[in-house]
Amino acid sequence: MIDIITLIPNSFYASFLISIAVAIMGSLIVINKSSFIAGSIAHGSFGGIGLAIYFSLPILLMTSVFAVFLALILSYISLKIPHRSDAVIGAVWAVGMSVGILFSELTPGYNAGLISYLFGSILTISNEDIYMMIGVDTLLIIFISILYNQILLISYDKEFAKVRGLNVGFLYTLLLVLISLTVVMSVRAIGLILIIAMFTMPPFIAEKFTKSLKGMMILSGILSAIFMISGIFISFYFDISATATIILVATTFFFLSLFKK
Amino acid sequence: MNLIEIKNVSFSYNDELVLKNINLTIKKNDYLAVIGPNGGGKSTFVKLILGFIKPTKGSIKLHTQKLGYVPQYTNFSLDIPITVLDVVLQGRIKKYKFFYNEEDKKEVYEKLKLVKMYEYKDKKISELSGGQRQRVLIARAMVSNPDVLILDEPTSAIDPQGQKEIYDILKSLNITKIMISHDLNFLLEGVNKVAWISKTLVLHDAPDLHLHRKDGHFCEIDFINEVHKCKVSND
């Protein structure tokens, strides 16, 4: 056990740092029923990766800008035409992926790193990725510490939030922007395709066992850390994909939790 | 004292006229019942007062900013883990108020006692019955000590006993109330004005309607005929 921690310490740091994001943003994604939006941002941000590779720009920076741009579009559409937002969410999902595929194809040479952005590679996390995770986690903790009550209200009852004078549009947009940054910080570890599973399954399980959003956040963070660490160990000893194993561990508990009334 | 003045208000949505030339004054301590057919514009009327939408024509003048709102409990997801206490505390939030203090909790406890839900304060909202949830939402609207309480079908999908409890609570609140309902029984529960909305608004002082009960219920047909007669004579 000590060997693996010594060999790939960043994967363990990443597991804990991503678990903090899962606790906060994953719980908010689940209670806001925003899994489809979060999935759209995650997949759509592949466009940012393609553009970054083509124009030789810093990948994390370019992907962050692109993902935030998608979050702003989705926020606008969700607030202005909520009854048709699902079609736009689906379009953003596909357009982002298409831009990513197109620009990565136009880039000369073979981009082996692209696969790690799609499926994640938690065992090869760099220090730069860790710094970004620390930065985004810090933002998330500040955000939730100050706005917990207001975010809980807009998640529960947007109309009443308006009556109380809250700027629902601003808070919702902020929520989506933070989802987009969370997606980018996790993309190298979990991968665009699997990220949404990691951000929804632990909170979904936690929701059934808790009485408050605070409790849901704490429990989903703990569950996420357990799933990630155990997934890494299992994958290490069986020499299989770490990210896929993490998701399958989470999925096992996810289905077991369905039996809880 | 006038609290709300609605003058010549019309509202259109996608070129379709939803409300036409509405005029109404709501005074302090009025208990206004808003009734009418589905799609007649009752919810639009309430949304206009709450400021969620703007009138296409006319003006709405609010002489108070302290509005309390009770939506239908059926609008909420019961999956969100939240306790009764946390729901009612939401009534104390303001734009630049981020944290609750002891005074907020004291006010919440007082209002929970008022709606007879104090002993449920630590329960999850999903563990309550429909009637109990609606009482929690009334407490949430009341903790800000509003001048006007606006209720959107608070008794829909609630059993008769639960409805009676809500009517009794509302009757005991010494405050201006505007309530949408499909249940005409509540017209005998202290209502002093009735607004019949079906694109246009016809206002009645409730005692003038000569409402009567038949087998414990209002005769809805008689009531609507009465309103219709008034509407014809107004025209």
Side-chain angles (χ1 to χ4, degrees):
Chain A
M1 186 182 289
I2 298 296
D3 286 344
I4 183 175
I5 297 173
T6 320
L7 275 173
I8 38 175
N10 277 1
S11 62
F12 288 91
Y13 301 148
S15 299
F16 287 112
L17 291 167
I18 288 172
S19 294
I20 292 171
V22 169
I24 299 169
M25 296 316 292
S27 299
L28 293 177
I29 288 169
V30 168
I31 67 166
N32 279 283
K33 296 186 170 63
S34 299
S35 306
F36 192 33
I37 289 186
S40 177
I41 294 173
H43 285 73
S45 63
F46 190 59
I49 295 169
L51 288 169
I53 290 172
Y54 182 76
F55 292 107
S56 301
L57 295 167
I59 290 186
L60 285 181
L61 179 67
M62 187 61 205
T63 312
S64 301
V65 171
F66 196 81
V68 168
F69 173 67
L70 296 183
L72 294 175
I73 292 175
L74 290 171
S75 168
Y76 181 80
I77 300 293
S78 306
L79 293 167
K80 290 290 170 193
I81 44 165
H83 55 291
R84 277 286 170 266
S85 60
D86 59 335
V88 181
I89 294 166
V92 165
W93 185 309
V95 169
M97 287 293 279
S98 304
V99 170
I101 293 165
L102 197 69
F103 278 90
S104 56
E105 272 185 9
L106 290 172
T107 308
Y110 174 67
N111 291 293
L114 268 180
I115 295 296
S116 71
Y117 289 105
L118 286 173
F119 300 107
S121 177
I122 198 163
L123 301 180
T124 58
I125 288 295
S126 67
N127 286 342
E128 188 197 9
D129 295 320
I130 295 290
Y131 299 146
M132 174 155 190
M133 287 177 191
I134 292 171
V136 174
D137 275 353
T138 307
L139 259 182
L140 297 182
I141 291 167
I142 294 170
F143 158 78
I144 205 64
S145 302
I146 297 171
L147 293 172
Y148 177 86
N149 290 321
Q150 299 208 349
I151 291 290
L152 178 58
L153 175 52
I154 70 153
S155 305
Y156 188 66
D157 185 353
K158 286 188 177 56
E159 283 196 340
F160 189 76
K162 283 182 198 164
V163 173
R164 297 303 305 150
L166 268 58
N167 191 337
V168 173
F170 170 75
L171 289 168
Y172 185 69
T173 305
L174 184 61
L175 185 65
L176 291 196
V177 166
L178 289 173
I179 288 176
S180 67
L181 292 179
T182 307
V183 162
V184 176
M185 78 163 234
S186 319
V187 75
R188 281 271 292 117
I190 310 287
L192 294 174
I193 292 175
L194 301 174
I195 214 165
I196 199 58
M198 198 60 225
F199 274 83
T200 51
M201 286 195 281
F204 178 88
I205 300 167
E207 190 180 50
K208 292 176 178 291
F209 296 92
T210 47
K211 272 169 75 169
S212 68
L213 176 60
K214 220 173 279 177
M216 180 180 172
M217 287 178 172
I218 292 167
L219 183 57
S220 57
I222 293 169
L223 288 173
S224 168
I226 292 171
F227 296 157
M228 293 186 81
I229 301 292
S230 53
I232 290 172
F233 277 118
I234 293 168
S235 71
F236 188 79
Y237 286 106
F238 289 97
D239 195 18
I240 49 179
S241 160
T243 316
T245 310
I246 289 169
I247 299 299
L248 288 175
V249 169
T251 308
T252 307
F253 285 90
F254 172 79
F255 281 113
L256 286 175
S257 78
L258 294 178
F259 293 103
K260 162 88 169 73
K261 284 191 178 176
Chain B
M1 181 190 169
N2 295 344
L3 286 181
I4 301 173
E5 290 174 275
I6 301 170
K7 285 186 183 160
N8 301 318
V9 163
S10 295
F11 181 79
S12 301
Y13 183 73
N14 285 346
D15 294 333
E16 189 186 330
L17 190 62
V18 181
L19 289 173
K20 185 184 166 190
N21 212 25
I22 303 289
N23 286 286
L24 181 67
T25 299
I26 297 165
K27 292 186 164 63
K28 195 177 176 189
N29 289 333
D30 269 350
Y31 189 171
L32 173 76
V34 180
I35 59 169
N38 282 333
K42 301 189 295 294
S43 292
T44 304
F45 171 75
V46 161
K47 281 178 184 167
L48 283 164
I49 294 175
L50 288 167
F52 293 167
I53 50 177
K54 301 281 172 218
T56 317
K57 209 182 86 183
S59 68
I60 297 175
K61 202 170 180 182
L62 298 178
H63 295 282
T64 175
Q65 294 304 313
K66 293 172 74 179
L67 302 180
Y69 176 51
V70 182
Q72 291 181 42
Y73 81 88
T74 46
N75 290 349
F76 302 106
S77 161
L78 292 178
D79 295 328
I80 295 182
I82 187 166
T83 61
V84 167
L85 179 63
D86 285 336
V87 169
V88 182
L89 274 167
Q90 292 178 338
R92 299 290 288 183
I93 286 186
K94 290 179 194 161
K95 190 171 187 179
Y96 297 112
K97 178 172 178 168
F98 305 107
F99 307 104
Y100 303 124
N101 54 33
E102 280 310 307
E103 196 189 324
D104 295 325
K105 284 193 178 164
K106 211 174 124 192
E107 191 70 36
V108 166
Y109 294 153
E110 193 185 300
K111 294 301 186 289
L112 279 173
K113 284 174 188 162
L114 182 76
V115 299
K116 300 182 179 67
M117 288 299 293
Y118 179 75
E119 61 271 34
Y120 296 91
K121 68 181 189 303
D122 296 319
K123 284 233 175 230
K124 248 171 117 169
I125 198 89
S126 57
E127 293 168 359
L128 306 180
S129 70
Q132 289 173 326
R133 267 178 237 146
Q134 203 64 63
R135 275 148 61 186
V136 170
L137 294 181
I138 291 172
R140 182 180 69 165
M142 289 300 295
V143 285
S144 60
N145 296 310
D147 291 327
V148 181
L149 186 63
I150 299 171
L151 305 103
D152 188 356
E153 298 191 36
T155 55
S156 65
I158 291 175
D159 62 77
Q161 177 59 28
Q163 290 182 357
K164 179 74 183 133
E165 285 167 4
I166 288 170
Y167 294 145
D168 288 345
I169 287 165
L170 291 175
K171 222 174 356 179
S172 72
L173 302 175
N174 193 19
I175 182 179
T176 306
K177 289 161 286 213
I178 301 171
M179 176 158 136
I180 295 181
S181 184
H182 276 113
D183 174 25
L184 296 181
N185 288 297
F186 91 104
L187 296 178
L188 274 191
E189 304 288 346
V191 168
N192 74 322
K193 282 180 179 172
V194 180
W196 168 265
I197 296 185
S198 179
K199 198 179 283 187
T200 57
L201 184 149
V202 181
L203 185 70
H204 293 273
D205 291 332
D208 293 344
L209 290 169
H210 308 297
L211 298 168
H212 60 277
R213 284 180 189 270
K214 192 178 274 182
D215 301 328
H217 294 277
F218 282 118
C219 179
E220 187 168 349
I221 301 300
D222 283 359
F223 175 73
I224 291 170
N225 284 341
E226 181 109 17
V227 170
H228 184 66
K229 265 189 269 171
C230 294
K231 190 180 169 211
V232 170
S233 63
N234 281 352
D235 290 344

